[in-house]
Amino acid sequence: MRTGPKGKPFLEWCAENGKRGERLANEFREELPTELTKASNYKAKWKCLKCKHVWRAEMNSRTKSERPKGCPKCAHNAPASKTKNFLAWCEKKGELGKKLSREYVDKDKPPTAVTYASHYRALWKCGRCSHEWRTRVADRTKSVRPTGCPECNPPGTNRYTKKRERVD
Ligand SMILES: [Zn+2]
Ligand SMILES: [Zn+2]
């Protein structure tokens, strides 16, 4: 069990953090929370109180004070707001954000009406070859293997891996 420098037991931390702590304690799905600290790197199991989704995430990713992670499923479905939307996300992401906000050409939904984690299939226009295609916003913004223009990155190359979409 990792304790780390901030070795406060998870449950103790929960008790001191009001409604947020209460929610995390209720979403926690492990047997022995007393042995885990709030800053642990341990990937614990959580169950969302809202949508019942079960996922694993490091303890510290949920308890940290800056931009803690919540349920990934709820994040996909979250409505965009003034401060939480695709454009605001782009503005914080330097060159990558500039490129993505330039390539976002969807007319049905402005970039402020979707979130960076949205599953909405937006219309994009490649800055290099001008090809237009549709893909989920989340597929372009994810940190692991984001997708790019299918013309510039044809299937079979390493940079763009096209997978058949599963209908679920
Ligand atoms: Zn959820
Ligand atoms: Zn292209």
Side-chain angles (χ1 to χ4, degrees), residues 68-86:
K69 291 237 171 86
C71 166
K73 210 170 175 189
C74 285
H76 290 151
N77 301 328
S81 70
K82 260 194 178 154
T83 50
K84 261 189 89 181
N85 61 62
F86 173 64

Side-chain angles (χ1 to χ4, degrees), residues 2 30 35 50 151:
R2 281 183 194 238
E30 299 276 338
E35 299 203 2
K50 247 200 271 178
E151 287 291 316

Side-chain angles (χ1 to χ4, degrees), residues 27 47-55 70-75 77:
E27 290 189 343
K47 185 174 180 181
C48 177
L49 295 181
K50 247 200 271 178
C51 74
K52 310 284 181 237
H53 176 61
V54 176
W55 81 105
C71 166
K73 210 170 175 189
C74 285
N77 301 328

Side-chain angles (χ1 to χ4, degrees), residues 126 128-129 131 149 151-152:
C126 177
R128 244 201 293 176
C129 73
H131 175 67
C149 167
E151 287 291 316
C152 296

